[in-house]
Amino acid sequence: PLLLGMDVQLYLGSLLDPQQERRQQAEALLHDASLRAGFGLALTCVTADPRVELHLRQMASVLLKKYVKEHWKSFGKDFVSPEVNPQEKDEIKNRLLPLLADNHSKIRTTVAMVISNIAYWEWPEEWPSFLNSMIGAIRSSNTNLVLGAIKVLEVFATPENFTEETVSLLVQTLFPHLQEIYLSQNTIWVQTKILGIITSSLSYLVMVDKSETKQMRKALAQILPQWLSEAARLLHQTEAAPLKANWSVKVAALQLTTLVFQDFPALAKEYLKVLVPQAWASLVRSLPVYNEGYINCDANSSEVEEGQEDETEYFDSFVSELLSFFLVLLETERSRLRTLLADQLPNLCYFLIAFMSLTTSQVILFLDDPNEFVAEEEEEEFVSNNFSVRSAAWQLLETAVEAFKDKGLNALLSAVSRTFQDAENLRATQNPSWWKRREAGLQALGIVLRQMKEEGILGLDVGALLSSVLTCDIEARDLPYLRGRALWLASRFSEQLLSSEYSRHFLHAAVSSLHSSTDPLPVKISACCAISNFCSTKPDIARWCVNDIIEGLCRLLRETSERVLHHILDTFILSLKAKQTWEAEQLQRVVGGLLESWQKSWADPLLADQLRECFEQLAEYSESLPLLVSLLLPRLTSILSTPNSLYSGVVDTAIQLLTVLLKRSEGAMAEQIVRQTFGQLTNIVLSLDEATLVASGTLALSLSVEKAAPLLSNFFIDETSAPSLLLRVGERLMVPSLNESFAVNAGFFLEKLLLHLFSSVQQILPQLLHAVILRLLSAESSSLIMGLLEFCGLLAHSDAEMFVKLVGAIHLPPHPEKGERVALYELLSLWTKWNHSLPSSFGLKIGTVGLALLTQVNSEILRSMRFVGNDSSFDAPRLVDFRVRVVEVLLDVYKSKGQNEEDLLNYMGGASEEDEEDEGDEEDDELELAEGSSPFAPAEDYEKYFENEDEDSLLFDNKAAVSDIAIQSHPVFSVDVKVYIHDFVKRVVSSDVMTGLLPKHQELARKLLE
């Protein structure tokens, strides 16, 4: 081992060689050595040798940790052969234990982790002396050894190192020793670490439910009360200033106490009457200390003496843990806590508001990094990621008000009034931090008003209260944070609680903040939130100053970071909705600012969605669209021309923005867009292997076909016609091996080709239909299946007989399990299964009418087929002929269009005499399509099935707004499905069809035939 240790030391040194070849050679030698016996012991020797340079010892210890993880036990999940032999294991452990006393903390830490990992594998069976060794080390007078042993137990007492078998044994054997050591130690950091080890162990004990065993309950009943007594003793201590107290151990004691009350309430109940008064007294005593050291101090006095930083931090943590303790009690001991705190509820609310005051360090932090302000202001962040004293007090205050209902609201109102009076008293004494108390009071008032709003409590004139409270704060120009909080409060309750006069006043103040050269960015963020709320709740009031809002937001876009940008863009979206007319110069500034923001944060998907919403809103105004296209299109074509060299999210956003322009444009403008982007889009869809880009590009190409089909019919890219390129796109999307996420918009794309470039599609229709059916049969995505079925429905409607012949001529390869397949049967099985799920109104109509038309085709093959009907079991499928199957499907569509079957039958059974007369007239109507009708029959062929304009119709909506003129003019678009199915049933349902139907369908069919 000594020789190998020297070799390993040499290899480790070579890892730092400047020449790459030597480094690679050293890595290979170390890997080879790791596969030989003695390598772990060699690493241990290098780690333990004080003559070796420190950085090499550290490298050896890190490699040893990895070696133990991979080679110690053959059943480990990360095991790499060979396993360390037993003799070497014992030698490694014997040499590691003294290293816990090493003079270098980094060596001690890594060695502690190695020992902890070994203990995970071997304690208690193979290494029964492990805990005794650690306990003996902690009792040592050698400070380094104590540090090392404590670190071992810290690492070991974590959930990932516990098993259900070891956790209870650890609690019963280790906890009594830890308590003895805790009481015998005067060193605060050792006591703190011991409390942390106990808390960590108990938290895992709860997870594995070992606390439910009789033996464990007995052990915990003996151990936990002693720690709760210690927590009460620590809380009883009174200190004058944070830097003279042992706050770290108090934090650890509170964390342990909170866990016990949360997870072992039965063992903690008798200590409630002791600990709650102590915790309350600690909260009261902490406030003046917190005020002096955190809220009222200036920036310079907040600096502390060297070596005291941790204690200052721990006081802050102590207050947070104290608040968390009360929060847990509210959740677990609410009824008993009501009794204990009944007389103190107003005081509790008062103290919590005081703790919600901004600290000096927070004000400085928010100025330096507005992102921190955003995190603090978001309520979701309050609860989880940013648990400061301020946010902890906010959460406890909200919970207390909810827990104590009316008493809580009254107590909070009283506390808010008291807080405002405190602020005025501090202001009279010229205390520069007076505004912080008032700002906290306004934030607490927001809790009151929201609670009243949610519960419909109208006990006071809230509008008058807000107006009187906030008017002076809005004008506090030299106190921007106070003004920002006033804006926040006013805007949150603008709809219900403020008159138009005051709303206008507050909105003007918010807009002025956007344009201010002195307001800090956090206050401008508050102004943005206020403007957003006003735009949502009182758009008429927001509209009178919308130009100033937009100008201020444009300025703000240039000043902000990514996280803050989201808030500004949210406000932008809402303000754009209030804007009605645009001037060219202003629109240029807006588009320029949005594009500049996009350039700042290319990779942010949320930002991309917000930008798309902004541009969608801008594109709503037809008078601004030409200028918007002229400003945006050059940037988009620049991005789309080099998709391989850019981040895919940028290209996808560019395609989405192009889609926005295509949706809104018509005529010459649409042709201009298509002319400049068609080649780029086809290149993206045909050549890239990024599913998102291909799907987005397919959608954009679909709109290009819809908007500029005449142009594309004679358009060429590098001597290749546009229709040929589009058909190549269709071919690629139909390849069964292509992942379905690429083809999510394929059905929509093919539908556009069929509607707008039918002559081009007609030339390759047999091949295209063959590819569509192969794609359908392998598809799993519902959106892809339904899109392709809608395409098939369009084809069937154009010429049902030809459709049957084309599909019938397709030969499918055998299924590996089911054998031979018939294309027509497979397609119609899918179609009848999915028809009722077709998502769009037009899709459902085309699918329903298409199936009905197919029943009229004179096809021997079709008549011979048997399909699986409704309510079939896997073992005994119910087989029916095609007509019966289609009737079932159409009756299901009829039924689904009503509110439910019972309502439908009641509606039909309760028809008036006049209605029955109308129905009698309809019985004579039949669907008669002219022989050899064109692919898209004239609308007059369907006149009697057009949607009626009766707004009281129970069953069917009026026709949906569809932008595609080809769909609007399609005869099926205006079909009233109710009338169509009604006539279809009368025409098709004979006695033999009726016999094949299920009873529920027979009943509905009879109703339709009556």
Side-chain angles (χ1 to χ4, degrees), residues 340-470:
L340 292 171
L341 288 180
D343 298 332
Q344 295 295 340
L345 191 56
N347 287 332
L348 174 64
C349 293
Y350 170 76
F351 283 114
L352 292 177
I353 296 173
F355 279 117
M356 283 164 54
S357 301
L358 282 167
T359 66
T360 300
S361 60
Q362 283 175 320
V363 173
I364 296 171
L365 177 63
F366 295 163
L367 289 173
D368 291 340
D369 186 1
N371 289 323
E372 292 293 334
F373 174 78
V374 172
E376 188 79 15
E377 288 298 291
E378 292 175 350
E379 290 179 9
E380 295 82 5
E381 298 284 337
F382 271 163
V383 178
S384 56
N385 298 334
N386 200 31
F387 206 71
S388 62
V389 170
R390 177 177 167 91
S391 60
W394 165 282
Q395 187 180 352
L396 178 56
L397 189 61
E398 278 200 313
T399 306
V401 171
E402 292 173 4
F404 290 93
K405 305 296 182 185
D406 292 348
K407 288 183 179 179
L409 273 175
N410 292 330
L412 184 51
L413 276 172
S414 172
V416 168
S417 178
R418 185 177 168 190
T419 299
F420 286 160
Q421 187 58 54
D422 280 355
E424 288 304 311
N425 294 339
L426 291 171
R427 186 180 188 181
T429 62
Q430 297 184 337
N431 186 314
S433 298
W434 70 269
W435 65 269
K436 297 180 180 179
R437 188 63 65 89
R438 184 170 180 85
E439 187 269 347
L442 293 179
Q443 192 175 20
L445 186 58
I447 299 176
V448 176
L449 298 181
R450 187 176 67 183
Q451 196 76 12
M452 294 174 66
K453 178 180 172 183
E454 291 176 354
E455 298 184 9
I457 299 173
L458 303 174
L460 73 164
D461 186 347
V462 181
L465 173 65
L466 279 176
S467 302
S468 62
V469 167
L470 297 179

Side-chain angles (χ1 to χ4, degrees), residues 139 179-187 191:
R139 296 180 189 277
Q179 185 173 21
E180 182 185 342
I181 295 170
Y182 178 93
L183 295 173
S184 65
Q185 280 276 0
N186 293 322
T187 309
Q191 292 181 327

